[in-house]
Amino acid sequence: MKRLNSVFVLLLHRDALMKLNRTLFPLSLIVILILFPALDTPNLLANFEKGSIELVDDWFVNSQIVDFSQDFRANMFFNYVNESLGIEFYPRLTLHTEFNSPLNLTGYLSRKIKKEVAEFGIQLDSNSGNITLGINGSIIAKVLTSDYFMINITEGVSNSIASYDSIIGENLSVPINFNPIIISVEEQLIEDVDSISVAITPITRLEGTITLSAMIFDEQLEWVSGDDIYFDDVSVFKNMSDFLVYIEDISLNFQDVYLRISSFLTTISFVTTLGTIKQHFIIDLESVEWEEGAQLAGEFVVFLLDALFDIEDQAFLIVIDKASFPISGVLMVLIIPLVFISLKRLRKR
């Protein structure tokens, strides 16, 4: 009878241990899932405010450049016919762009860490770059007094590149580099002139306001100037060796952007039996009102830039010192194996 009672008590004890095991295992997982994100996430509720830095030596600083460049090519096939004027145009053109605008990322972390809290600053700016546009193709044309003829459009080589210091800011004036557009007609439209070619180089600028925005610590930030620095308090362990920052959803924002054409650099060439005759001149458009056209052209360039400017999410470290891992992280690494070892031993019993 005593042996039966002992067996019964042992079974009850084993059953209790199994129930305890079933309870401890999910609780342990819940604790792990709660603590680990807390260690990796420096700040869950961000509240950034703009500020400035007086002494750089008071901060841990890291800066890196994202070398961003992108090309775009599009075919433009369309027809234009005006029967009343007897004009027909059938363009078959290819537009290509080269966009180079490196992004500079700078992070600041205060050296003064009080109660595992430090001030963090973030600065984003676009470095010097350029935007180049070029056109190639042909146009089949017909005017009232002629048969169909071919207009060839080739792309010349630009002697200079229009570069800008930054693509973000208010009341910007960003130069756009057009490779020379060479329009040639091989047909003999004029007596004693075998062919005519016109080389046109538009001198243009993109004007308006362009800002840069990004998501940091789940808060949307916007930079109107590369000098802007956003600050917020973040959780930092005193013996942490580095601070990881994620920058997501990087994009450009355009406001009242126009494409202003200030002038055309033009060269007309006549190929005759006596040789080639060239005439250089400048068509000044500064005094020409072209608001609707400037806005339409600006919208087209904005469409191109918006399609081209696609920078992936970035992550970079602000190095603090060469200290070891946080003591809390070390404790977690030691505790987790002990929990699983204990659970395993309980199962064997």
Side-chain angles (χ1 to χ4, degrees):
M1 189 66 181
K2 288 183 180 181
R3 181 176 296 178
L4 288 175
N5 289 337
S6 300
V7 171
F8 181 71
V9 170
L10 182 61
L11 290 173
L12 287 177
H13 182 64
R14 183 178 179 182
D15 185 59
L17 286 175
M18 290 179 66
K19 288 181 179 180
L20 181 61
N21 185 6
R22 293 170 187 170
T23 305
L24 283 175
F25 184 72
L27 286 177
S28 302
L29 288 179
I30 292 172
V31 170
I32 293 168
L33 292 174
I34 291 174
L35 290 179
F36 261 90
L39 292 174
D40 293 337
T41 306
N43 194 11
L44 294 176
L45 298 176
N47 186 20
F48 284 96
E49 293 183 0
K50 285 185 181 180
S52 59
I53 288 179
E54 295 181 1
L55 296 175
V56 179
D57 293 339
D58 294 338
W59 303 79
F60 298 108
V61 183
N62 183 33
S63 183
Q64 68 183 39
I65 294 178
V66 180
D67 189 9
F68 176 78
S69 60
Q70 188 69 265
D71 297 339
F72 175 82
R73 188 175 297 272
N75 296 323
M76 298 183 294
F77 298 161
F78 59 94
N79 303 329
Y80 175 79
V81 178
N82 192 320
E83 295 181 355
S84 61
L85 297 177
I87 298 175
E88 299 179 28
F89 289 105
Y90 303 95
R92 300 294 183 264
L93 303 174
T94 298
L95 169 72
H96 82 86
T97 68
E98 298 174 4
F99 179 38
N100 177 34
S101 184
L103 189 65
N104 188 31
L105 316 176
T106 305
Y108 304 89
L109 188 68
S110 176
R111 293 178 181 271
K112 300 177 182 178
I113 302 175
K114 297 180 180 180
K115 296 182 179 180
E116 298 185 345
V117 174
E119 193 172 11
F120 165 74
I122 185 69
Q123 183 180 18
L124 270 67
D125 186 19
S126 67
N127 281 15
S128 58
N130 65 78
I131 304 169
T132 301
L133 302 178
I135 297 176
N136 287 285
S138 61
I139 300 175
I140 299 174
K142 183 181 184 299
V143 295
L144 187 61
T145 58
S146 71
D147 293 327
Y148 290 99
F149 59 93
M150 179 78 74
I151 300 174
N152 296 313
I153 299 177
T154 57
E155 184 180 333
V157 178
S158 178
N159 294 324
S160 61
I161 296 177
S163 299
Y164 53 79
D165 294 329
S166 177
I167 200 174
I168 67 172
E170 293 180 300
N171 301 318
L172 277 177
S173 185
V174 178
I176 306 295
N177 181 52
F178 263 96
N179 287 339
I181 303 168
I182 302 174
I183 303 171
S184 61
V185 180
E186 302 299 331
E187 302 289 337
Q188 191 172 13
L189 301 178
I190 303 175
E191 189 177 356
D192 297 329
V193 176
D194 295 331
S195 65
I196 304 172
S197 66
V198 180
I200 300 174
T201 304
I203 307 301
T204 64
R205 306 185 76 87
L206 194 66
E207 298 181 355
T209 298
I210 303 177
T211 61
L212 181 70
S213 64
M215 186 75 71
I216 300 177
F217 297 155
D218 294 331
E219 183 175 346
Q220 187 80 25
L221 304 179
E222 186 175 49
W223 284 264
V224 180
S225 169
D227 297 329
D228 294 339
I229 306 177
Y230 284 93
F231 292 93
D232 191 19
D233 291 334
V234 294
S235 300
V236 178
F237 296 105
K238 292 183 179 180
N239 59 342
M240 185 180 287
S241 60
D242 48 50
F243 183 81
L244 183 62
V245 182
Y246 292 100
I247 303 177
E248 304 170 308
D249 301 335
I250 304 170
S251 62
L252 291 177
N253 311 299
F254 306 90
Q255 299 175 15
D256 301 327
V257 175
Y258 299 87
L259 187 66
R260 303 288 185 186
I261 301 178
S262 60
S263 61
F264 286 107
L265 303 180
T266 308
T267 301
I268 299 180
S269 301
F270 298 92
V271 179
T272 69
T273 55
L274 299 177
T276 302
I277 302 172
K278 289 187 177 183
Q279 180 67 42
H280 305 279
F281 56 93
I282 298 175
I283 302 175
D284 190 359
L285 300 175
E286 288 289 354
S287 59
V288 177
E289 294 293 335
W290 194 55
E291 292 295 331
E292 292 184 0
Q295 184 175 2
L296 181 61
E299 290 176 355
F300 177 70
V301 175
V302 165
F303 165 76
L304 289 177
L305 295 182
D306 194 44
L308 294 175
F309 192 84
D310 185 16
I311 295 183
E312 296 180 353
D313 296 343
Q314 300 294 319
F316 67 98
L317 292 174
I318 301 178
V319 178
I320 300 175
D321 52 35
K322 296 182 179 180
S324 59
F325 291 103
I327 187 64
S328 56
V330 175
L331 288 175
M332 286 301 301
V333 172
L334 295 174
I335 290 172
I336 292 170
L338 291 175
V339 171
F340 284 101
I341 290 171
S342 301
L343 292 175
K344 190 175 181 180
R345 289 178 177 176
L346 288 173
R347 288 198 190 97
K348 289 181 178 181
R349 291 178 183 178

